[in-house]
Amino acid sequence: MKLTEHFTLEEFTHSNIASRLRIDNRVPDELMANIQLTANKLELVRKVLGFPIMITSGYRCPLLNARVGGVSTSAHTKGLAVDFHCAYGTPKEICQRLIDTGVQFDKLIQEHNQWVHIGFSPNYNRQIVLTAIKNSGKTVYVNGIV
Ligand SMILES: [Zn+2]
């Protein structure tokens, strides 16, 4: 199902882990508005980056989220966040570009130099910017892009 010019619902629900564990990761009706909002916002992200967005994790039902180690309050469970790659550059370069171009978001995280997490909200754009790093094997979040 097409959500916007460049994004389909399947891109938001696809998960290798969910398939393997036979977890039903379909989006509940009440969260479809959030998914649509996220897709709309991602069109702008795609536009400023100038390359396709490869979503590696979009919506996560609570069970899938728990299985991948996500925090229970994760915006992924509300359909309001995606993890992605983009041929524009490294996660750090992508984050910097989104900040420099004034793209609106609630939370942007440069994750371990491996992917970018971007979260949105229907109510606010807090523009929180974090970098996830490993410290003694545990993930910690530091302010800004490092
Ligand atoms: Zn994420």
Side-chain angles (χ1 to χ4, degrees), residues 69-111:
V71 291
S72 61
T73 54
S74 169
H76 286 278
T77 63
K78 313 213 167 47
L80 290 171
V82 298
D83 297 339
F84 71 95
H85 298 133
C86 177
Y88 173 83
T90 64
K92 193 173 170 176
E93 290 166 342
I94 291 167
C95 288
Q96 199 57 59
R97 174 78 179 158
L98 298 182
I99 294 164
D100 292 347
T101 51
V103 168
Q104 293 192 329
F105 51 80
D106 186 48
K107 200 185 272 187
L108 181 68
I109 311 176
Q110 193 277 84
E111 304 249 19

Side-chain angles (χ1 to χ4, degrees), residues 15 17-18 21 23 25 57 59-74 76-77:
S15 161
I17 296 171
L21 299 176
I23 293 171
N25 196 44
S57 181
Y59 172 68
R60 296 179 197 151
C61 67
L63 182 57
L64 174 61
N65 187 59
R67 287 302 182 101
V68 299
V71 291
S72 61
T73 54
S74 169
H76 286 278
T77 63

